Amino acid sequence: MTQRDAHFPAAFLWGTATAAYQIEGGGTNTDWWRFEHREGSIAAEPCGDACDSWHRYGEDLDIVATLGLNSYRFSVEWARIEPRHGEIDRHALEHYRAVLAACHERAIAPVVTLHHFTLPLWVADAGGFESPDIAEWMGAYARVVGEALGDQIAMACTINEPNIVAAMGYLASVFPPEVTDWSRYVAVNGALRRCHRAMVDALREGPGDFPIGMTLSMAEYEAVDDGEEALATYRTEMEDRYLAEVTEDDFLGVQCYTKHLFGPGGMIWGGDGELTEMGYLFWPRSVAYTLRRAREFTSIPLVVTENGIGTNDDDQRIRYLTEALAHLDEARRDGIDVRGYFQWSLLDNFEWVLGYGPKFGLVAVDRTTFARTPKPSAAWYADAVAARSGEVAPSSSTPSDEVGA
Ligand code: GCO
């Protein structure tokens, strides 16, 4: 693999993030759709039409532009692009080209994720991440995406939170394929790292000179009552093995929400203190903590590709984001090379096995009419970003003219 001269946008990226399956609607050709509809499914409810963003992406991007953000992170759906093995749906690629054009028309830098949790049915049926061919398939898919869309992409994320795909699907059993088996979990983590490499290689060979990286779910960790060993075992698999793998990438996407407590028996859910609707500790400091920890492993540029809070209380969201941005400011002042921050999420959307209960959005979505209503936190975020505008990413030595704001 040759590392190409990747061009970062000149300005610090201020954005918000979404994922195809969670907002587009109609993701019928995926393992998730089947998981939600199987008899006795543990999913709270099916995804259905989600936020209908497949049709309403223009409206979504208008909101992003109104908030004064210069970037938007979204994902493209493998199950739509390659509905059957080797069959490419050109209409799906045309659709995503239109989304990219709609970003550029609004001076929004598109950050594109190629895989965000869902697999096409044909892949799931052939063993998913346990198939010996998975890295080859994901590499081939990345090549198709790169060739069709690469000239329009500002940054690319290969796989969103591979460590969560493995942990939730093969340990906690709350994502498909609903397995609980430590050795299969470890093997799937290894497979996901191979998939990432194959995707990086494929994207580097295609058009464009956008930076390419993975996004990793990270957290602050704390041992209680002699939980050090359990913590170390888990965190090695969740973070360290991935962090050791990314040093040749163009950037690492850090995604953080909370702090995990570990006792001798493993992770302790929640903890003493303020909890969010997800049952997570209210822990905005995780932003500075995870950036620093990532920095201990690698010197490549970092991007906070997700951070936010699931809550029905928008004041709590504003409080969380206020503190989170203060921690981001502090990490940047300390000289950590951070290139952008993406709040999760633009819209209230489908929160996987929990359905539409948790509300991560800056914008509420009516579940019947799909009408979008920005919350006070949206205006708050716009102001917080405006107050920081003009800040340039610390060492963007190869700026492109992509981002205006
Ligand atoms: C994640 C996912 C999102 C979630 C968000 C809130 O990366 O975990 O990207 O899909 O919705 O994290 O739990």
Side-chain angles (χ1 to χ4, degrees):
M1 182 195 336
T2 49
Q3 191 163 6
R4 64 186 188 186
D5 187 13
H7 285 236
F8 282 91
F12 187 86
L13 296 177
W14 286 106
T16 177
T18 61
Y21 192 79
Q22 294 177 274
I23 65 163
E24 283 180 347
T28 54
N29 191 31
T30 63
D31 57 344
W32 265 88
W33 191 275
R34 183 164 63 190
F35 163 71
E36 292 152 26
H37 290 88
R38 76 160 173 76
E39 220 187 303
S41 173
I42 57 164
E45 58 192 313
C47 180
D49 291 326
C51 304
D52 193 33
S53 291
W54 180 260
H55 302 109
R56 293 168 202 254
Y57 65 86
E59 214 182 307
D60 296 345
L61 290 168
D62 283 342
I63 299 173
V64 174
T66 307
L67 298 182
L69 305 178
N70 63 11
S71 191
Y72 178 57
R73 174 173 175 245
F74 66 99
S75 74
V76 296
E77 186 67 75
W78 186 5
R80 292 188 192 272
I81 293 173
E82 189 177 4
R84 279 165 297 279
H85 188 193
E87 285 182 30
I88 303 306
D89 184 337
R90 295 286 149 196
H91 289 112
L93 290 170
E94 278 310 311
H95 169 86
Y96 290 123
R97 270 196 88 78
V99 177
L100 289 163
C103 290
H104 291 291
E105 278 161 21
R106 294 164 177 79
I108 293 168
V111 176
V112 177
T113 304
L114 276 72
H115 178 271
H116 196 124
F117 291 177
T118 47
L119 283 178
L121 281 175
W122 67 265
V123 179
D125 287 340
F129 292 105
E130 296 183 299
S131 162
D133 299 319
I134 187 66
E136 188 190 319
W137 293 337
M138 287 192 95
Y141 160 62
R143 179 161 291 113
V144 167
V145 172
E147 273 162 17
L149 310 177
D151 61 325
Q152 299 298 313
I153 292 176
M155 293 183 78
C157 308
T158 55
I159 305 178
N160 179 73
E161 298 188 347
N163 53 343
I164 289 291
V165 172
M168 298 300 146
Y170 293 85
L171 212 49
S173 197
V174 293
F175 280 20
E178 300 180 79
V179 169
T180 303
D181 183 321
W182 179 266
S183 56
R184 287 174 71 182
Y185 158 67
V186 171
V188 165
N189 273 327
L192 281 153
R193 288 191 286 270
R194 285 193 295 281
C195 290
H196 168 69
R197 291 261 67 84
M199 295 172 87
V200 171
D201 283 350
L203 289 171
R204 281 183 178 164
E205 282 164 18
D209 55 9
F210 50 88
I212 304 161
M214 71 159 70
T215 77
L216 197 63
S217 171
M218 296 184 69
E220 188 164 337
Y221 283 77
E222 187 185 320
V224 291
D225 303 328
D226 301 324
E228 284 82 3
E229 208 183 310
L231 183 159
T233 306
Y234 187 77
R235 186 160 65 174
T236 299
E237 204 48 52
M238 279 302 278
E239 296 191 354
D240 303 10
R241 294 216 160 112
Y242 281 96
L243 291 167
E245 188 74 26
V246 300
T247 46
E248 299 296 309
D249 291 353
D250 302 320
F251 74 95
L252 172 70
V254 170
Q255 318 208 143
C256 52
Y257 291 88
T258 189
K259 172 166 85 168
H260 296 315
L261 304 181
F262 267 79
M267 198 190 290
I268 302 166
W269 200 241
D272 290 339
E274 183 177 352
L275 296 181
T276 75
E277 211 174 74
M278 299 287 288
Y280 295 165
L281 277 170
F282 179 95
W283 210 257
R285 203 180 82 188
S286 57
V287 173
Y289 181 94
T290 53
L291 287 170
R292 290 207 175 90
R293 186 156 205 275
R295 181 50 77 238
E296 287 169 21
F297 286 78
T298 171
S299 58
I300 62 174
L302 305 175
V303 180
V304 179
T305 38
E306 277 182 31
N307 172 247
I309 177 173
T311 180
N312 268 301
D313 175 357
D314 204 47
D315 290 337
Q316 192 190 27
R317 182 180 344 274
I318 292 173
R319 204 152 47 77
Y320 181 95
L321 293 174
T322 303
E323 290 186 39
L325 290 192
H327 289 292
L328 173 73
D329 293 341
E330 171 203 305
R332 294 179 68 196
R333 271 198 309 273
D334 288 354
I336 297 186
D337 179 3
V338 190
R339 305 294 175 101
Y341 174 90
F342 292 80
Q343 181 271 348
W344 181 274
S345 178
L346 177 65
L347 306 171
D348 284 342
N349 63 46
F350 182 72
E351 181 56 26
W352 307 109
V353 71
L354 301 174
Y356 290 98
K359 304 277 191 278
F360 278 88
L362 298 174
V363 176
V365 178
D366 185 288
R367 297 249 30 86
T368 311
T369 64
F370 303 111
R372 275 91 165 119
T373 310
K375 305 174 191 177
S377 56
W380 176 89
Y381 187 51
D383 288 348
V385 168
R388 291 166 172 84
S389 72
E391 291 176 10
V392 170
S395 49
S396 24
S397 50
T398 53
S400 76
D401 55 5
E402 174 61 46
V403 176

